[in-house]
Amino acid sequence: AAGITMPKVLEAMGAVERHRFVDSGLVNQAYEDTSLPIGLGQTISKPSIVARMAELLLGAEIIRTSGSLGRVLEIGTGCGYQAAVLSRLAREVYSIERLRGLHDKARVHLRPLRLANVHLLFGDGMLGFAQGAPYAAIVAAAGGAAIPPQWCEQLAVGGRLIAPIAGADGQQMLLVVDKTAHGLKQTVLEPVHFVPLKSGVA
Ligand code: SAH
């Protein structure tokens, strides 16, 4: 549980089998709370940070008015693990990946789970995905020096953005941005370690 108390999040974490998302040689490490390599220099996030971000998403103000979490955009599909967790918490999940090899891998991992509400996209997530906007929540699994303006634009009023952001000293911090009728409210949380957010596709 590692400090996670929301039953919905614990249920989602318990339901998604993480060993399905790593290469066969790493299956015996899949239930350790560590990030693991998934190829192309990228990693599957630590389960505790996936759960932490899920709890923060469920704190979005828009849930109080609409009763549930509607559309969520994930930046950085990687192997598809977090998308599968989010599919149990949100109505629709759009997940975008800039590396073709990982986008294809995520498709293979997710196919047997038959999650009809997960939409995998290949492209540069720094631009967001305007066609699916506005989003109740946006979650980034890769961190840059600044939040791309498109992410805030594509967030619904009452929506919440959760992303790692690197400070001047290079240390990444977890940032929460709440979009209110009066503007954006930023909260900086704990230090985190995510792979870098990069522009363009490859
Ligand atoms: N969500 C994954 C974490 C994958 S690591 C999980 O479930 O474990 C983060 C991913 O973000 C990497 O695959 C990396 O290629 C991707 N990424 C980095 N910059 C990106 C961008 N601009 N658009 C889309 N994906 C990006």
Side-chain angles (χ1 to χ4, degrees):
I4 303 298
T5 56
M6 283 186 184
K8 252 184 122 160
V9 173
L10 292 171
E11 187 275 329
M13 296 298 297
V16 179
E17 298 175 317
R18 193 166 179 257
H19 72 267
R20 291 174 172 272
F21 295 87
V22 297
D23 293 341
S24 52
L26 294 171
V27 160
N28 59 350
Q29 293 174 64
Y31 295 96
E32 289 171 18
D33 191 22
T34 51
S35 57
L36 294 168
I38 55 172
L40 302 177
Q42 308 303 316
T43 55
I44 180 172
S45 302
K46 270 167 75 150
S48 57
I49 190 73
V50 171
R52 169 79 171 131
M53 288 173 123
E55 273 208 336
L56 289 166
L57 286 188
L58 293 179
E61 176 62 29
I62 198 164
I63 297 179
R64 268 184 281 275
T65 45
S66 64
S68 65
L69 194 59
R71 282 194 303 279
V72 172
L73 175 65
E74 178 191 29
I75 318 292
T77 313
C79 58
Y81 174 67
Q82 185 165 26
V85 171
L86 293 173
S87 79
R88 308 185 69 92
L89 302 169
R91 194 153 38 76
E92 301 292 335
V93 178
Y94 293 83
S95 183
I96 188 161
E97 173 57 55
R98 64 178 288 277
L99 297 177
R100 173 67 79 179
L102 289 177
H103 168 75
D104 291 343
K105 207 177 221 185
R107 206 170 273 298
V108 169
H109 290 152
L110 290 169
R111 189 171 296 128
L113 303 185
R114 298 173 174 275
L115 303 172
N117 64 339
V118 175
H119 312 284
L120 296 182
L121 310 160
F122 172 64
D124 181 358
M126 286 184 80
L127 309 172
F129 179 63
Q131 291 92 320
Y135 299 99
I138 298 179
V139 49
I147 299 294
Q150 288 91 341
W151 296 0
C152 296
E153 286 160 17
Q154 293 172 21
L155 207 55
V157 172
R160 177 172 270 193
L161 165 74
I162 299 156
I165 184 148
D169 58 356
Q171 171 66 63
Q172 277 181 348
M173 303 295 286
L174 195 58
L175 176 75
V176 169
V177 179
D178 286 301
K179 186 162 177 174
T180 75
H182 314 289
L184 301 171
K185 191 179 138 249
Q186 302 202 5
T187 313
V188 179
L189 302 170
E190 66 271 17
V192 285
H193 298 279
F194 281 88
V195 296
L197 181 71
K198 294 186 178 170
S199 63
V201 295

